[in-house]
Amino acid sequence: MTSAYVPYNGTAGWSGTDTSMARAVDNVTSGRELNNQQKALAYIKNAGVFGVTWKELAIEMLWHHGTASGVLSVLHKEGEIARLYRTRGRCKIYINTFTAQMNPDMLVETYKKKTKPCPHCGKDVNKITV
């Protein structure tokens, strides 16, 4: 990974306030967003099938909830990680996408994309089976 995933107007997202937007832009231009995404990916990969919740990631990285959940959301949206249907401590569990593919018995949630029917068969083209 050589550049950060920035799916929201060139950033990893913000809450809607001007200060939040300024922080989001600064995170990208300073390289902080890329660093955070890389650190999260390495931590999740190391966790293996046990996976990681936002709380565990936040504690390990000393991040605020917004940073941890934001990084997880972007990485999930981009297909770098998978979110399990299972929970731990009332939090969803995230695992490496490769780990999910190698363990087909682990039920994963598809990132919330709008339904897009296939013009040929009518099935949702966003549904992926891991």
Side-chain angles (χ1 to χ4, degrees):
M1 181 176 187
T2 57
S3 62
Y5 291 110
V6 289
Y8 304 106
N9 293 329
T11 74
W14 68 89
S15 70
T17 66
D18 56 347
T19 54
S20 180
M21 185 171 120
R23 180 223 20 98
V25 171
D26 180 61
N27 281 354
V28 173
T29 58
S30 70
R32 194 175 307 114
E33 194 64 48
L34 174 61
N35 186 48
N36 288 351
Q37 290 176 8
Q38 289 174 330
K39 287 166 69 174
L41 282 171
Y43 188 66
I44 293 165
K45 182 178 180 183
N46 190 50
V49 296
F50 186 72
V52 173
T53 67
W54 78 262
K55 283 183 185 177
E56 295 160 352
L57 182 65
I59 289 168
E60 179 66 23
M61 302 296 169
L62 302 175
W63 290 345
H64 180 272
H65 164 263
T67 301
S69 64
V71 167
L72 291 171
S73 291
V74 168
L75 293 175
H76 185 217
K77 176 182 177 56
E78 297 297 330
E80 289 287 339
I81 60 175
R83 185 173 60 209
L84 301 180
Y85 277 102
R86 292 185 302 120
T87 61
R88 183 168 53 244
R90 298 185 318 178
C91 298
K92 293 291 186 168
I93 301 169
Y94 293 84
I95 61 173
N96 179 278
T97 300
F98 180 74
T99 302
Q101 292 169 343
M102 299 311 297
N103 295 278
D105 56 317
M106 299 180 103
L107 297 177
V108 299
E109 297 179 2
T110 303
Y111 187 82
K112 54 186 177 201
K113 293 183 179 179
K114 292 182 179 177
T115 302
K116 182 178 178 185
C118 172
H120 306 290
C121 68
K123 292 183 181 178
D124 184 1
V125 298
N126 292 323
K127 298 278 183 182
I128 45 176
T129 306
V130 181

